Each structure stands twice: as C-alpha cells, then as structure tokens.
Amino acid sequence: MSIFIKQYQWVILISATFAQACACFFVQGFGSIALDVKNDMSLSNWQIGTLISAAQLIPLAGLLIAGELLDRYSERFVVGIGTLIVGASLCGAALADSYAGLLIAFTILGFGYSTAQPGGSKSVSNWFKGNQLGFAMGIRQAGLPLGGALATLLLPFIAGRYSVQAAFLGGGVVALFGAALFMLLYK
C-alpha cells in the first residue's frame, strides 16, 4: 500500500499541474487575442482592460472565499467546481454578443479561477511532505506559465482560423477537460 501511495502522489502532482494549466489557460492567454476581440466586437482599449481586470482582479476577493471553502471541503471539489466555472463562463462568453455579456462572463470566470492557486497548493501539500514538498510545489506552479504559453500558441490560431467565439469556446473546453480530469484522479 505504501508503494501505491508513493507512486500515486505523482499522479496527483501531474493532475494538479494539469488542472492549474487548464484553469489559467485562457486568463493567461487572453492578451494574445485581445486585439482580435477588440476589433471583432468594436471595443475600446478601456473595455479590453476592464475585461482583463475582471478575470485578474476578481480573484483577489475570490481567493478569500476559495480559502474558506478549502478549509471546509475537499480540494477535489473546490478546484474541480472552480475550474468547471471557468469552463462554463468561457462557453458563455462564446455566446456573448455584447461587451456587457463578456464582462459578466469574465467576472464569473474570475471567481472560478480563484480556486486554482490555493486548491492546487493544498492538494499537493496533502500528498507531499518534507524535502519533496518544495520540488512538488515548483512543478505544480509551472502549470501557470505552461497554460499561458500553450494558450498564446493556440488561441490566436483558433481566433484567426475560426473566430474569437471559437477561441472562447476552445478555452472553455480546455478548462472543462482539466476540471473533469482533476476530479476523476484526485483522491
């Protein structure tokens, strides 16, 4: 049983890192399609900035709520549901035809995104101890730039080849997949 636990902790680390990458995929990569969104929806620079702020600043309050939830409930569900919220809000953004609709979707996205950082950290710290914890946290934290890097490669391609709405939908599908995988694998 001990060998299983030692081996399964790496599954947890990989799934937590993957969930982190999927949760932040769109938020970290939005800048790569911001001009496309601005042009397609006839938005001002201020409106684009407000959309980015909704996704990035809302987590300041959301992190406090996520922390409380993590103290009461399993990180499996807090991270999973938060990432599902990210995915659902992006799918909603794909249907938005106005700035107000996008702002609502990005605000909801910000609250869901709030769970990724503290929840992923807690999930890894529950499985790794002592001299392995720092190394494991470093790997898990790499999910943030990994998600952003992949998004900056894929989102402009999707937006250019198909549409901005398809890029929103693509980001939503990535988040939904990450949430489902994390909820399936995390014990």
Tab-separated table of all heavy atoms in Angstrom, residues 14-52:
chain	number	residue	atom	x	y	z
A	14	ILE	N	0.776	15.472	-11.193
A	14	ILE	CA	0.535	15.706	-12.616
A	14	ILE	C	-0.877	16.240	-12.841
A	14	ILE	O	-1.072	17.196	-13.594
A	14	ILE	CB	0.787	14.421	-13.434
A	14	ILE	CG1	2.282	14.103	-13.426
A	14	ILE	CG2	0.267	14.552	-14.857
A	14	ILE	CD1	2.624	12.710	-13.918
A	15	SER	N	-1.864	15.660	-12.168
A	15	SER	CA	-3.240	16.126	-12.364
A	15	SER	C	-3.433	17.529	-11.800
A	15	SER	O	-4.147	18.341	-12.390
A	15	SER	CB	-4.254	15.139	-11.765
A	15	SER	OG	-4.168	15.101	-10.369
A	16	ALA	N	-2.784	17.860	-10.676
A	16	ALA	CA	-2.883	19.214	-10.114
A	16	ALA	C	-2.196	20.230	-11.024
A	16	ALA	O	-2.695	21.348	-11.211
A	16	ALA	CB	-2.281	19.251	-8.714
A	17	THR	N	-1.067	19.848	-11.595
A	17	THR	CA	-0.354	20.740	-12.522
A	17	THR	C	-1.175	20.948	-13.795
A	17	THR	O	-1.311	22.074	-14.292
A	17	THR	CB	1.029	20.159	-12.869
A	17	THR	OG1	1.757	19.947	-11.659
A	17	THR	CG2	1.808	21.081	-13.791
A	18	PHE	N	-1.747	19.867	-14.288
A	18	PHE	CA	-2.579	19.946	-15.486
A	18	PHE	C	-3.827	20.798	-15.227
A	18	PHE	O	-4.206	21.629	-16.065
A	18	PHE	CB	-2.959	18.541	-15.948
A	18	PHE	CG	-3.703	18.510	-17.250
A	18	PHE	CD1	-3.043	18.759	-18.443
A	18	PHE	CD2	-5.061	18.239	-17.286
A	18	PHE	CE1	-3.720	18.738	-19.655
A	18	PHE	CE2	-5.750	18.219	-18.486
A	18	PHE	CZ	-5.070	18.470	-19.676
A	19	ALA	N	-4.464	20.600	-14.070
A	19	ALA	CA	-5.644	21.403	-13.721
A	19	ALA	C	-5.284	22.879	-13.629
A	19	ALA	O	-6.035	23.745	-14.082
A	19	ALA	CB	-6.255	20.912	-12.410
A	20	GLN	N	-4.116	23.180	-13.047
A	20	GLN	CA	-3.647	24.565	-12.960
A	20	GLN	C	-3.457	25.142	-14.354
A	20	GLN	O	-3.886	26.255	-14.642
A	20	GLN	CB	-2.326	24.607	-12.185
A	20	GLN	CG	-1.612	25.935	-12.196
A	20	GLN	CD	-2.197	26.925	-11.227
A	20	GLN	OE1	-2.959	26.566	-10.351
A	20	GLN	NE2	-1.862	28.175	-11.395
A	21	ALA	N	-2.828	24.391	-15.239
A	21	ALA	CA	-2.598	24.858	-16.607
A	21	ALA	C	-3.924	25.097	-17.329
A	21	ALA	O	-4.086	26.088	-18.042
A	21	ALA	CB	-1.744	23.854	-17.378
A	22	CYS	N	-4.879	24.212	-17.125
A	22	CYS	CA	-6.182	24.338	-17.791
A	22	CYS	C	-7.003	25.487	-17.225
A	22	CYS	O	-7.694	26.189	-17.965
A	22	CYS	CB	-6.962	23.032	-17.681
A	22	CYS	SG	-6.239	21.689	-18.644
A	23	ALA	N	-6.926	25.684	-15.908
A	23	ALA	CA	-7.685	26.766	-15.274
A	23	ALA	C	-7.172	28.133	-15.705
A	23	ALA	O	-7.942	29.073	-15.896
A	23	ALA	CB	-7.631	26.639	-13.757
A	24	CYS	N	-5.853	28.251	-15.877
A	24	CYS	CA	-5.290	29.556	-16.222
A	24	CYS	C	-5.059	29.721	-17.719
A	24	CYS	O	-4.659	30.792	-18.156
A	24	CYS	CB	-3.997	29.785	-15.454
A	24	CYS	SG	-2.621	28.824	-16.056
A	25	PHE	N	-5.325	28.690	-18.491
A	25	PHE	CA	-5.084	28.698	-19.932
A	25	PHE	C	-5.610	29.988	-20.577
A	25	PHE	O	-4.854	30.751	-21.175
A	25	PHE	CB	-5.759	27.470	-20.553
A	25	PHE	CG	-5.636	27.357	-22.045
A	25	PHE	CD1	-4.513	26.804	-22.617
A	25	PHE	CD2	-6.671	27.774	-22.868
A	25	PHE	CE1	-4.400	26.677	-23.995
A	25	PHE	CE2	-6.572	27.651	-24.247
A	25	PHE	CZ	-5.431	27.107	-24.807
A	26	PHE	N	-6.892	30.251	-20.426
A	26	PHE	CA	-7.473	31.401	-21.098
A	26	PHE	C	-7.075	32.711	-20.437
A	26	PHE	O	-6.748	33.681	-21.121
A	26	PHE	CB	-8.995	31.291	-21.169
A	26	PHE	CG	-9.601	32.398	-21.977
A	26	PHE	CD1	-9.665	32.291	-23.356
A	26	PHE	CD2	-10.050	33.561	-21.383
A	26	PHE	CE1	-10.183	33.328	-24.125
A	26	PHE	CE2	-10.570	34.596	-22.137
A	26	PHE	CZ	-10.638	34.481	-23.508
A	27	VAL	N	-7.107	32.755	-19.108
A	27	VAL	CA	-6.793	34.004	-18.404
A	27	VAL	C	-5.393	34.479	-18.758
A	27	VAL	O	-5.180	35.658	-19.042
A	27	VAL	CB	-6.946	33.830	-16.877
A	27	VAL	CG1	-6.474	35.065	-16.129
A	27	VAL	CG2	-8.395	33.514	-16.518
A	28	GLN	N	-4.434	33.565	-18.752
A	28	GLN	CA	-3.060	33.934	-19.063
A	28	GLN	C	-2.840	34.175	-20.559
A	28	GLN	O	-1.906	34.878	-20.938
A	28	GLN	CB	-2.098	32.844	-18.576
A	28	GLN	CG	-2.097	32.654	-17.083
A	28	GLN	CD	-1.645	33.891	-16.344
A	28	GLN	OE1	-0.686	34.552	-16.719
A	28	GLN	NE2	-2.352	34.225	-15.288
A	29	GLY	N	-3.695	33.607	-21.393
A	29	GLY	CA	-3.511	33.735	-22.830
A	29	GLY	C	-4.399	34.770	-23.508
A	29	GLY	O	-4.278	34.996	-24.711
A	30	PHE	N	-5.298	35.397	-22.742
A	30	PHE	CA	-6.238	36.339	-23.348
A	30	PHE	C	-5.541	37.478	-24.092
A	30	PHE	O	-6.002	37.910	-25.148
A	30	PHE	CB	-7.196	36.908	-22.297
A	30	PHE	CG	-8.148	37.924	-22.858
A	30	PHE	CD1	-9.153	37.534	-23.727
A	30	PHE	CD2	-8.032	39.259	-22.543
A	30	PHE	CE1	-10.032	38.465	-24.266
A	30	PHE	CE2	-8.914	40.203	-23.067
A	30	PHE	CZ	-9.912	39.802	-23.937
A	31	GLY	N	-4.422	37.930	-23.568
A	31	GLY	CA	-3.706	39.031	-24.213
A	31	GLY	C	-3.348	38.739	-25.664
A	31	GLY	O	-3.287	39.649	-26.493
A	32	SER	N	-3.156	37.478	-25.984
A	32	SER	CA	-2.774	37.115	-27.352
A	32	SER	C	-3.916	37.261	-28.349
A	32	SER	O	-3.673	37.294	-29.557
A	32	SER	CB	-2.217	35.685	-27.390
A	32	SER	OG	-3.221	34.748	-27.092
A	33	ILE	N	-5.149	37.373	-27.864
A	33	ILE	CA	-6.287	37.588	-28.772
A	33	ILE	C	-7.058	38.865	-28.424
A	33	ILE	O	-8.121	39.116	-28.995
A	33	ILE	CB	-7.254	36.385	-28.798
A	33	ILE	CG1	-7.863	36.117	-27.428
A	33	ILE	CG2	-6.569	35.153	-29.371
A	33	ILE	CD1	-9.061	35.180	-27.452
A	34	ALA	N	-6.520	39.661	-27.514
A	34	ALA	CA	-7.218	40.880	-27.090
A	34	ALA	C	-7.514	41.809	-28.267
A	34	ALA	O	-8.611	42.379	-28.353
A	34	ALA	CB	-6.417	41.603	-26.016
A	35	LEU	N	-6.566	41.967	-29.181
A	35	LEU	CA	-6.808	42.836	-30.347
A	35	LEU	C	-7.892	42.254	-31.252
A	35	LEU	O	-8.689	43.000	-31.829
A	35	LEU	CB	-5.517	43.069	-31.135
A	35	LEU	CG	-4.503	43.990	-30.471
A	35	LEU	CD1	-3.234	44.066	-31.307
A	35	LEU	CD2	-5.087	45.371	-30.245
A	36	ASP	N	-7.931	40.945	-31.384
A	36	ASP	CA	-8.981	40.306	-32.179
A	36	ASP	C	-10.351	40.563	-31.554
A	36	ASP	O	-11.312	40.874	-32.251
A	36	ASP	CB	-8.751	38.793	-32.284
A	36	ASP	CG	-7.472	38.453	-33.023
A	36	ASP	OD1	-7.204	39.069	-34.069
A	36	ASP	OD2	-6.739	37.571	-32.539
A	37	VAL	N	-10.434	40.412	-30.227
A	37	VAL	CA	-11.690	40.659	-29.516
A	37	VAL	C	-12.086	42.122	-29.675
A	37	VAL	O	-13.241	42.443	-29.968
A	37	VAL	CB	-11.570	40.279	-28.018
A	37	VAL	CG1	-12.820	40.676	-27.249
A	37	VAL	CG2	-11.280	38.796	-27.855
A	38	LYS	N	-11.108	43.005	-29.506
A	38	LYS	CA	-11.363	44.453	-29.636
A	38	LYS	C	-11.928	44.775	-31.024
A	38	LYS	O	-12.931	45.478	-31.142
A	38	LYS	CB	-10.070	45.225	-29.399
A	38	LYS	CG	-10.210	46.712	-29.549
A	38	LYS	CD	-8.876	47.420	-29.383
A	38	LYS	CE	-9.062	48.890	-29.698
A	38	LYS	NZ	-7.811	49.618	-29.709
A	39	ASN	N	-11.300	44.247	-32.053
A	39	ASN	CA	-11.741	44.540	-33.420
A	39	ASN	C	-13.073	43.872	-33.759
A	39	ASN	O	-13.953	44.514	-34.336
A	39	ASN	CB	-10.671	44.125	-34.423
A	39	ASN	CG	-9.417	44.959	-34.304
A	39	ASN	OD1	-9.460	46.105	-33.867
A	39	ASN	ND2	-8.289	44.386	-34.654
A	40	ASP	N	-13.214	42.601	-33.419
A	40	ASP	CA	-14.444	41.872	-33.752
A	40	ASP	C	-15.670	42.434	-33.051
A	40	ASP	O	-16.767	42.400	-33.602
A	40	ASP	CB	-14.312	40.388	-33.409
A	40	ASP	CG	-13.442	39.631	-34.389
A	40	ASP	OD1	-12.899	40.247	-35.325
A	40	ASP	OD2	-13.303	38.407	-34.212
A	41	MET	N	-15.484	42.919	-31.817
A	41	MET	CA	-16.630	43.384	-31.039
A	41	MET	C	-16.674	44.905	-30.924
A	41	MET	O	-17.485	45.446	-30.185
A	41	MET	CB	-16.624	42.729	-29.668
A	41	MET	CG	-16.735	41.205	-29.772
A	41	MET	SD	-17.050	40.409	-28.219
A	41	MET	CE	-18.784	40.799	-27.989
A	42	SER	N	-15.797	45.592	-31.652
A	42	SER	CA	-15.722	47.058	-31.644
A	42	SER	C	-15.625	47.610	-30.220
A	42	SER	O	-16.381	48.489	-29.817
A	42	SER	CB	-16.939	47.664	-32.356
A	42	SER	OG	-16.992	47.223	-33.687
A	43	LEU	N	-14.662	47.099	-29.473
A	43	LEU	CA	-14.462	47.524	-28.095
A	43	LEU	C	-13.335	48.550	-28.012
A	43	LEU	O	-12.468	48.604	-28.880
A	43	LEU	CB	-14.116	46.319	-27.211
A	43	LEU	CG	-15.135	45.189	-27.167
A	43	LEU	CD1	-14.636	44.060	-26.270
A	43	LEU	CD2	-16.487	45.698	-26.689
A	44	SER	N	-13.355	49.341	-26.966
A	44	SER	CA	-12.290	50.319	-26.736
A	44	SER	C	-11.163	49.665	-25.938
A	44	SER	O	-11.322	48.569	-25.383
A	44	SER	CB	-12.840	51.513	-25.952
A	44	SER	OG	-13.172	51.114	-24.622
A	45	ASN	N	-10.045	50.356	-25.867
A	45	ASN	CA	-8.942	49.872	-25.046
A	45	ASN	C	-9.378	49.733	-23.589
A	45	ASN	O	-8.999	48.789	-22.905
A	45	ASN	CB	-7.738	50.811	-25.137
A	45	ASN	CG	-7.050	50.742	-26.478
A	45	ASN	OD1	-7.166	49.750	-27.202
A	45	ASN	ND2	-6.338	51.797	-26.829
A	46	TRP	N	-10.151	50.706	-23.112
A	46	TRP	CA	-10.645	50.669	-21.736
A	46	TRP	C	-11.505	49.427	-21.501
A	46	TRP	O	-11.379	48.778	-20.460
A	46	TRP	CB	-11.451	51.939	-21.438
A	46	TRP	CG	-11.924	51.994	-20.021
A	46	TRP	CD1	-11.236	52.448	-18.942
A	46	TRP	CD2	-13.190	51.548	-19.539
A	46	TRP	NE1	-11.995	52.309	-17.804
A	46	TRP	CE2	-13.201	51.754	-18.145
A	46	TRP	CE3	-14.310	50.986	-20.138
A	46	TRP	CZ2	-14.295	51.435	-17.359
A	46	TRP	CZ3	-15.401	50.675	-19.339
A	46	TRP	CH2	-15.383	50.895	-17.974
A	47	GLN	N	-12.353	49.089	-22.443
A	47	GLN	CA	-13.206	47.909	-22.289
A	47	GLN	C	-12.378	46.620	-22.266
A	47	GLN	O	-12.660	45.717	-21.470
A	47	GLN	CB	-14.252	47.852	-23.400
A	47	GLN	CG	-15.331	48.911	-23.241
A	47	GLN	CD	-16.247	49.001	-24.446
A	47	GLN	OE1	-15.788	48.986	-25.597
A	47	GLN	NE2	-17.542	49.106	-24.184
A	48	ILE	N	-11.364	46.543	-23.100
A	48	ILE	CA	-10.476	45.373	-23.076
A	48	ILE	C	-9.767	45.304	-21.724
A	48	ILE	O	-9.671	44.235	-21.116
A	48	ILE	CB	-9.455	45.415	-24.237
A	48	ILE	CG1	-10.161	45.193	-25.569
A	48	ILE	CG2	-8.336	44.405	-24.029
A	48	ILE	CD1	-10.757	43.805	-25.753
A	49	GLY	N	-9.291	46.436	-21.242
A	49	GLY	CA	-8.640	46.474	-19.936
A	49	GLY	C	-9.566	46.049	-18.813
A	49	GLY	O	-9.147	45.350	-17.878
A	50	THR	N	-10.829	46.431	-18.904
A	50	THR	CA	-11.807	46.049	-17.882
A	50	THR	C	-12.071	44.550	-17.931
A	50	THR	O	-12.231	43.907	-16.879
A	50	THR	CB	-13.119	46.840	-18.071
A	50	THR	OG1	-12.817	48.236	-18.059
A	50	THR	CG2	-14.106	46.549	-16.956
A	51	LEU	N	-12.116	43.977	-19.114
A	51	LEU	CA	-12.292	42.524	-19.224
A	51	LEU	C	-11.121	41.781	-18.569
A	51	LEU	O	-11.325	40.824	-17.819
A	51	LEU	CB	-12.418	42.101	-20.692
A	51	LEU	CG	-13.687	42.521	-21.420
A	51	LEU	CD1	-13.592	42.169	-22.901
A	51	LEU	CD2	-14.912	41.890	-20.788
A	52	ILE	N	-9.914	42.239	-18.858
A	52	ILE	CA	-8.736	41.617	-18.255
A	52	ILE	C	-8.769	41.789	-16.742
A	52	ILE	O	-8.486	40.847	-15.992
A	52	ILE	CB	-7.439	42.204	-18.864
A	52	ILE	CG1	-7.322	41.789	-20.336
A	52	ILE	CG2	-6.209	41.762	-18.069
A	52	ILE	CD1	-6.233	42.508	-21.107
